Each structure stands twice: as C-alpha cells, then as structure tokens.
Amino acid sequence: WGPLRGRSGYARAGRGLLAGAAAAGVTVRDTPADAAEPDIDVVHVPRNAHLEAALWVVHHLPRAPDGTDYWREPAVAAGVPVVGAACFECDLLPEGWVEAAESVAEVWVPTAFNLRTFAAAGVDPDRLHAIPYPVDTDVFAPDGRERAAGAPVTFCSVFEWTWRKGWDVLLRAWAREFDGSEDVRLRLLTYRGAGALGDGDIVDQATRCIRAAGSDLDTVADIELILDPLSEDGLIELYRSADAFVLPTRGEGAGMPVIEAMACGTPAIATGWGGHEELMDPELSFPVEVETLVEAAPELVLDNPLYRGLRLAEPDEMSLRRALRSVAEDPAAARRRAARGRTVVEERFSIPSAGRALADRVDALTAPPRSR
C-alpha cells in the first residue's frame, strides 16, 4: 500500500518495487494510495484473487506533519506482519518516526545511507533492511548514446526547484567556472513545486542567483531551462545526450536521477552524501565534497515541517567546479569512468537485484516457524 500511480518519488519507487516483486516471483496485491496520472502504467503482479495476505508493506512516510500515523494504524489492524518502507534525506529522522518504526515488524529503506541515518535516530539496526529502489536498466541504458559532432560539452540536471536540491550552488558554480566564450551548456529539467519559495518564478530566481555570483545572462555560459515535463523517453534522451549529469544536492533519500543517469552511461557529478553516496566513488563518478552539515533552511521547513531541526549537507562549490572542469576538458575520460558506474548500477540497483532483496525479506517474514 502506498503511492503507485502518480509522479511522486514514492510512486516511482513503488512501481519499481512491484517490478522487482514480479521479477522475483513474489505474488503481490497492489493497493494504490494516490490518484492516477495520465501515461503512467502500474506493474500489476500476477496474483490469486483468493489468496489471503501474509504480509503488508506500507510504503509511505511513517507519520505526516499533521500527525497521521501511516504505519501504526495498519500495524494494529492488519492481523499479519506489517513492514514500514520509507526513506529520508537528513542526518536523523522527523519527530515520531522512530516510534512509528517500533510498531511494525521491520523497516525497509532503499540505501546504505538510510540504514545509517535511521539507526542513528534510534531505530533498532536489527530491524532495518535495505531494499533498493530499482531502475529498469534495460530501459535506462546507454543504447543509442552518441555525441553529436560539434555539439558543446553538455551537462544536464533533473530536480524540483527547491533549496534542498542545491540549484543555487549549481548556478553559482556554473557562473563562476564558465563564461560565454566556452563551448559548454547546462540543461536543467526542473519544475516549481510547493518547495519553491521566494519571490519571482524560476527564471527570476535563477537570474538573481547568477547576478549575485558576479555574472549576468550576457556573459555566463549557456543555460537552458526545460520547464515542461518530459516523457520517460524524453528523460532518457536527456540523460544520453549529456556529457555529464550534475546535482549538488543537499540531501537525497535514494537519489533516483543520479542512478538513472548512471544507468544510461552518463557520467555523474553529485554530492558525496545521501542515498546515492555508495555510487560516489572516484572510480565510478565525480563526487562533490561536503563542506559541512547545515540545519534545514527556514524556507525548506516552511514548505515541509518534517525538516525542522534536522541537518543536510552543504556541497563544496570549489569541489563542484573542479568536477565540472574535469568533464569539460576530457569528456572521453569521463565516459570511461561512467562505464564502470553503469556496471555497478546493474549489480546493485537493477530490478532483479531489488527483487532478490525483497524476496529474501518476504521469505524471512512469512516462513512458518520451525518445530522444535
């Protein structure tokens, strides 16, 4: 149970987990908790309509800012083991999440980062298990990837226009590292959700950020804002056509765009902290150093009170600039690094790998007790 039919990160991850269950032969009854969006298909796993539930998986925030307990209530009513599945992008957890974790049989998180942060917050490590949010590596793949002759060195990014994603860090670094005389461009697929506080629209805020960095639109290297949604095919083409993906995020629970880009064979530049951190190895990608951990900005807390009092990473601007310059100077070397990254994504974040991890936990939770 959880979001499955929409465009949220939880819905995308939920569809991936269903695909993993199908790959592992686990029989699932999917129960969407969100409204259907056009052009989004849910993987319906083959199931026996008369089969009684042996296990509930509640893939949702444990507790909402309004106090709704999404894990505790099913755990009381289900009559079978209930798993709470979630992720979070801070160093610790919001108020009430540890208590919610105590009400379920065990907790599934997608990354080693969340194994660490949930345990640091007080969740029993023995009840924490990593079930990765998978990428379909047959679809998000390097096939057809080729660089157009004469094209500028191209960087792309995919994110919601909110402080947590570090768009301000990216634009400052870009404006200070490249000017209009260099044959480079930055393509940003973004949208303004509830978290985009501040005066003006995306273009206004981006312009002010660039000017504050000591540049302006006439002298900065090319920046293209893509403000309309792309289809999955369009998203894959964006990844494949770039010489590198870049995201100096302040925090990710899973970091799906980073993983998707790497699955497409695109070199990834991203903060070496958060859900994607196990992929931020200099042999595989271009990790951006963390300057320090900072308390969630007031505008982020105003948008979502779950972040109150919690810390995220502040990426180091000079480290980001060095990574951008490295790719700009030698795109071919970056692609060789990305090929190794693609292999690791296949091993750890593919649908089959997620399915195996999920099936192991289902077996452990539903196996009949051994007789003495």
Side-chain angles (χ1 to χ4, degrees), residues 28-295:
V28 176
R29 180 181 299 279
D30 50 282
T31 308
D34 54 351
E37 291 276 355
D39 305 320
I40 291 181
D41 295 324
V42 177
V43 177
H44 291 285
V45 183
R47 60 201 181 189
N48 183 333
H50 304 292
L51 194 65
E52 292 187 5
L55 174 71
W56 269 86
V57 177
V58 180
H59 182 227
H60 199 286
L61 300 179
R63 178 179 288 180
D66 66 5
T68 303
D69 284 316
Y70 287 102
W71 287 8
R72 186 185 302 274
E73 293 174 10
V76 171
V80 295
V82 172
V83 169
C87 66
F88 202 62
E89 46 273 345
C90 295
D91 63 333
L92 296 172
L93 298 179
E95 182 179 352
W97 280 34
V98 174
E99 292 77 9
E102 293 171 350
S103 70
V104 294
E106 64 183 39
V107 176
W108 294 356
V109 295
T111 60
F113 169 76
N114 273 166
L115 288 177
R116 183 175 78 244
T117 58
F118 275 56
V123 179
D124 182 355
D126 291 336
R127 298 172 59 247
L128 285 167
H129 300 276
I131 312 293
Y133 291 163
V135 168
D136 188 338
T137 51
D138 292 332
V139 175
F140 288 83
D143 301 344
R145 178 183 175 82
E146 59 180 66
R147 193 164 185 269
V153 176
T154 299
F155 299 83
C156 76
S157 194
V158 177
F159 57 89
E160 179 185 358
W161 192 265
T162 181
W163 176 85
R164 178 169 65 85
K165 297 295 184 176
W167 62 264
D168 55 324
V169 180
L170 176 55
L171 290 183
R172 282 196 302 270
W174 182 263
R176 290 168 176 165
E177 187 62 30
F178 301 116
D179 62 35
S181 68
E182 298 196 64
D183 196 20
V184 296
R185 67 175 172 175
L186 176 63
R187 306 183 71 204
L188 306 180
L189 174 61
T190 187
Y191 66 98
R192 182 167 179 160
L197 300 177
D199 296 332
D201 60 15
I202 289 175
V203 175
D204 293 332
Q205 292 188 26
T207 301
R208 288 199 300 271
C209 182
I210 290 168
R211 287 174 177 161
S215 188
D216 60 48
L217 297 184
D218 294 328
T219 60
V220 72
D222 187 30
I223 300 172
E224 177 186 354
L225 293 173
I226 305 171
L227 303 180
D228 293 324
L230 293 181
S231 66
E232 184 176 272
D233 288 343
L235 177 62
I236 292 169
E237 176 56 29
L238 178 68
Y239 289 142
R240 289 176 177 170
S241 64
D243 292 285
F245 175 86
V246 55
L247 187 67
T249 176
R250 293 182 169 97
E252 301 292 326
M256 294 308 294
V258 176
I259 300 170
E260 290 171 348
M262 293 181 70
C264 290
T266 303
I269 302 169
T271 311
W273 192 87
H276 54 271
E277 67 181 18
E278 58 196 282
L279 293 172
M280 290 296 106
D281 181 318
E283 293 294 314
L284 313 174
S285 59
F286 294 83
V288 174
E289 296 170 8
V290 174
E291 182 179 321
T292 187
L293 294 184
V294 295
E295 191 166 317

Side-chain angles (χ1 to χ4, degrees), residues 10 26 79 146 297 305:
Y10 267 81
V26 177
E146 59 180 66

